[in-house]
Amino acid sequence: MKHGNHFTSCFQLSPHADYLALADKVLAFEPRSVRSRLQGHVIGVFFEEPSTRTRFSTESAAYRMGVQCITSLSPAATSIAKGESFEDSARIWSMYCDLLCVRHRLPGYARLLGRHASVPVINLGDGPLEHPTQGLATILHIASCFGRTKDVRICIWGDVAMSRCAHSVLIACVLLGAAVWLCPFPKRQLPEDLLRLLGATVPSCSVGIVDNVEDIPHPLDVLYVNRLQVERRADGDQVPYAKITSVDMAKLQKNGIVLHPLPRRGELPDEICCDTRVRIWQHAEMTLRTRQFLLYQYLANVAALPITDMPFETSECCGRPDCASSLFPSSQRPASRASEAGADALKKTCGACLRQVAR
Ligand code: NCD
């Protein structure tokens, strides 16, 4: 199966698609109306990390459309515990399911699973790397609020080192021409590799980095808030736990919006959520609607999604222990053909975790 048929990264979002028109379709879509078309379909829902919104919204969308789910919440409950390779499991899961929805602790897992699956794979979170359905939902929410994505001013605030939602939103925003500032927690800066890939993919990309929201030289349309990913680093609790204040909110236009992928902790307190510009619950609904529309499009085989190949083809993988390629030994073989991308930076990118491959 071609890479582009899976949805594993916001790097796959087409910069040429009409996201406002797509948002309208997503909002108008009625899942119960496609029951007769999708009846008999089965999806695999494999989650190796905790989830409330993502898994429940996926399963709820499936059931509303008459689609059945096979859900597994731990590899320990599958033949992987008996030593079956992930490659073999991917082949078997593809026989039993029409689509695989996966969340895994290691970056690149969905991408590598997709190399061995004969049905589409949707990445619902690969460790700290990406959460592309969340990125797409955010772009659609922005398009429906502002009528466009180009030149929309967005600040991505919080743990931009480890938040996969922040990464996918950043990639989507840069690809679709938004003006982006990062306001990271101390010691939670964006990984260099992601910045390098963004620069190589969109040469005109400019991502501002500020210490405080008030340092951004323009009023903001969107403030995208993320929690500290305490579970992803040993020093998680030692980083100061900042919160959004009225000073940050003053930077937001009157018609601006505050989004958060949820769950929220202290970073977005109730007193700030009283502001009508905080749209976290509407955003949760947009993520549900986006996932149900995606499932429908994939299962009914309707080719209306703006999901293309990765802009850089990487067949080589790094094999580091904190990369999904450590689980897929076949991915560690050296690339059999040179990358099509011109830039050297892209040629040396691990096909799983998207970090540089050491030479
Ligand atoms: C996030 C996740 O799991 O990455 N939640 C979600 O999917 N809506 C955000 C988080 O855990 O911080």
Side-chain angles (χ1 to χ4, degrees):
M1 171 168 293
K2 270 182 75 213
H3 210 50
N5 291 344
H6 309 295
F7 186 30
T8 65
S9 167
C10 275
F11 274 114
Q12 291 176 262
L13 292 179
S14 162
H16 311 296
D18 182 345
Y19 288 88
L20 179 56
L22 182 60
D24 288 344
K25 279 189 198 155
V26 163
L27 291 171
F29 179 66
E30 175 43 65
R32 290 181 178 87
S33 70
V34 299
R35 280 185 158 197
S36 56
R37 191 159 181 185
L38 293 191
Q39 209 170 18
H41 283 81
V42 177
I43 63 168
V45 180
F46 302 133
F47 269 57
E48 210 226 19
E49 280 195 332
S51 171
T52 298
R53 273 149 293 273
T54 304
R55 181 168 71 82
F56 289 18
S57 63
T58 301
E59 293 184 358
S60 146
Y63 288 125
R64 284 177 182 169
M65 294 189 290
V67 172
Q68 306 298 307
C69 305
I70 298 174
T71 297
S72 170
L73 301 182
S74 161
T78 72
S79 282
I80 287 166
K82 302 180 203 165
E84 181 169 63
S85 71
F86 284 87
E87 286 92 335
D88 285 2
S89 293
R91 287 195 188 101
I92 296 298
W93 293 339
S94 308
M95 279 180 211
Y96 302 158
C97 305
D98 301 303
L99 177 78
L100 303 175
C101 295
V102 297
R103 169 172 286 192
H104 197 274
R105 71 183 195 288
L106 291 179
Y109 178 83
R111 224 174 345 268
L112 295 190
L113 195 73
R115 290 186 184 179
H116 302 277
S118 53
V119 296
V121 175
I122 299 183
N123 177 11
L124 292 179
D126 54 346
L129 184 56
E130 272 210 70
H131 197 341
T133 60
Q134 204 67 38
L136 176 59
T138 303
I139 278 297
L140 295 178
H141 199 150
I142 292 173
S144 73
C145 285
F146 300 99
R148 65 185 206 285
T149 54
K150 192 160 170 40
D151 298 329
V152 166
R153 293 178 183 143
I154 176 168
C155 171
I156 301 177
W157 182 100
D159 189 344
V160 297
M162 290 282 163
S163 165
R164 54 191 170 206
C165 293
H167 296 163
S168 285
V169 169
L170 168 67
I171 296 164
C173 283
V174 167
L175 254 59
L176 304 183
V180 187
W181 286 270
L182 301 177
C183 184
F185 287 151
K187 298 197 277 178
R188 287 295 185 272
Q189 277 81 10
L190 189 76
E192 277 296 315
D193 283 298
L194 258 181
L195 213 48
R196 173 181 63 83
L197 281 180
L198 281 169
T201 310
V202 182
S204 60
C205 137
S206 95
V207 177
I209 298 175
V210 292
D211 290 332
N212 299 294
V213 176
E214 55 181 326
D215 298 338
I216 297 171
H218 302 283
L220 285 173
D221 299 306
V222 185
L223 180 56
Y224 186 81
V225 181
N226 282 278
R227 73 181 172 94
L228 185 63
Q229 306 281 303
V230 280
E231 71 275 34
R232 299 212 182 274
R233 276 222 193 131
D235 67 345
D237 283 322
Q238 291 154 26
V239 171
Y241 212 95
K243 54 169 105 165
I244 296 294
T245 65
S246 52
V247 176
D248 303 318
M249 293 297 282
K251 200 76 209 178
L252 200 62
Q253 309 255 35
K254 275 205 181 74
N255 68 341
I257 55 174
V258 178
L259 303 179
H260 190 305
L262 301 175
R264 72 185 159 121
R265 299 273 303 268
E267 72 283 350
L268 196 55
D270 284 342
E271 62 269 22
I272 295 292
C273 290
C274 296
D275 191 309
T276 53
R277 295 172 295 175
V278 176
R279 302 288 174 84
I280 52 178
W281 307 115
Q282 294 90 333
H283 193 50
E285 190 177 340
M286 184 53 119
T287 59
L288 162 72
R289 287 177 171 276
T290 301
R291 285 188 193 112
Q292 72 194 4
F293 190 75
L294 270 178
L295 288 187
Y296 168 63
Q297 296 284 322
Y298 270 105
L299 293 173
N301 223 352
V302 187
L305 289 169
I307 297 168
T308 64
D309 290 344
M310 293 286 269
F312 40 89
E313 187 57 56
T314 47
S315 36
E316 190 171 0
C317 288
C318 69
R320 293 174 177 102
D322 59 348
C323 169
S325 57
S326 62
L327 304 178
F328 289 83
S330 59
S331 69
Q332 293 175 38
R333 285 196 289 268
S336 55
R337 64 186 178 87
S339 162
E340 281 159 22
D344 266 4
L346 298 181
K347 282 185 187 165
K348 294 180 188 160
T349 298
C350 170
C353 66
L354 304 184
R355 289 176 292 182
Q356 255 181 331
V357 177
R359 301 264 169 181

